[in-house]
Amino acid sequence: MTYAHARPARSLDEVVGRMRAVEARLDPRDGVACFNRMYLRVAELIGGHLAAGSFQDGAFTEGLEVVLAGAYLDAVEDAEAGRPVNEAWQPLFEARGDRSVRPIQFAFAGMSAHLSHDLPLGLVETCIERRTTPDTPPVHADHLRAAALLGQAEAEARASFEARLGTPDAQAAESLQHLVASFSVARALDAAWATTQTLWHERNLRPFHDATLAAVTGGAILAARLLVTPVLPPAGPPTDEA
């Protein structure tokens, strides 16, 4: 079943404004708020580079970012309205109140759903809308530029996590570090690009397209569920981690 959502954002500036509104109304410890902080950082980085003309096709990049943000913001809206969220986002939203899951776990679980599920679909949708292809320059070059900014946000989140880890349970801390290390923005982006290529070539072959999408969604769900596995005692006061 599909639901009517708020009017889609028209620009990345509007997306950033909506994410800031989400941040303002959520408890900082909420798992969705933890992801929102990281995604907001990514959106701000990309917005700054768009303004500086760093992307070869800024219109394509901004259009893609608006589509991608729309998928996440629709999930937020559905959850607030008591409706089921998209399957790929369910692990994050279902675990959002578990205080034994650390902020970085929520941030990476959301980023995993964003990259492994929404990004390939968004790239195909944006290519169709703009009458181009994933192989047409500069689509891939701009994808790599955005990837570098995502990597920067990931590095910042990891640095904050390492600085705040502190726990008397060394074994639990090591388990959490291993769990967090299982996610990589670079690997997720490589996989997303491969999935994009597959979905693009299957876009007019509906049975194959649907089978690929089902497999991608299943993988996204599994990865996110693993990332929100509790391995430490409940967290204390809110922090800025992730």
Side-chain angles (χ1 to χ4, degrees), residues 10-23:
R10 294 193 177 96
S11 68
L12 191 53
D13 283 344
E14 188 176 344
V15 163
V16 167
R18 291 188 183 185
M19 287 185 183
R20 287 175 178 162
V22 171
E23 180 178 41

Side-chain angles (χ1 to χ4, degrees), residues 114-138:
H114 171 70
L115 296 179
S116 63
H117 181 270
D118 292 355
L119 179 55
L121 292 174
L123 275 165
V124 170
E125 179 180 335
T126 306
C127 282
I128 292 173
E129 287 180 354
R130 297 190 173 270
R131 302 190 178 192
T132 187
T133 79
D135 293 322
T136 303

Side-chain angles (χ1 to χ4, degrees), residues 54-193:
S54 300
F55 292 94
Q56 295 180 54
D57 189 343
F60 182 98
T61 299
E62 182 167 20
L64 172 61
E65 294 305 318
V66 168
V67 167
L68 293 176
Y72 160 63
L73 292 170
D74 282 352
V76 173
E77 183 182 335
D78 285 338
E80 290 177 343
R83 301 188 295 253
V85 302
N86 183 285
E87 286 181 293
W89 288 96
Q90 285 175 7
L92 171 64
F93 281 81
E94 289 172 357
R96 63 189 299 178
D98 189 339
R99 297 294 176 257
S100 60
V101 179
R102 289 316 199 240
I104 195 168
Q105 292 179 255
F106 288 125
F108 283 0
M111 195 54 66
S112 178
H114 171 70
L115 296 179
S116 63
H117 181 270
D118 292 355
L119 179 55
L121 292 174
L123 275 165
V124 170
E125 179 180 335
T126 306
C127 282
I128 292 173
E129 287 180 354
R130 297 190 173 270
R131 302 190 178 192
T132 187
T133 79
D135 293 322
T136 303
V139 173
H140 189 243
D142 281 344
H143 170 78
L144 294 177
R145 183 167 294 279
L149 300 177
L150 280 156
Q152 179 180 335
E154 177 190 25
E156 292 171 358
R158 289 188 187 278
S160 176
F161 160 68
E162 293 290 346
R164 297 176 181 273
L165 181 57
T167 173
D169 189 339
Q171 184 175 359
E174 183 177 1
S175 297
L176 178 57
Q177 287 175 311
H178 282 303
L179 183 63
V180 170
S182 69
F183 174 75
S184 162
V185 161
R187 290 198 300 269
L189 284 164
D190 286 345
W193 187 256

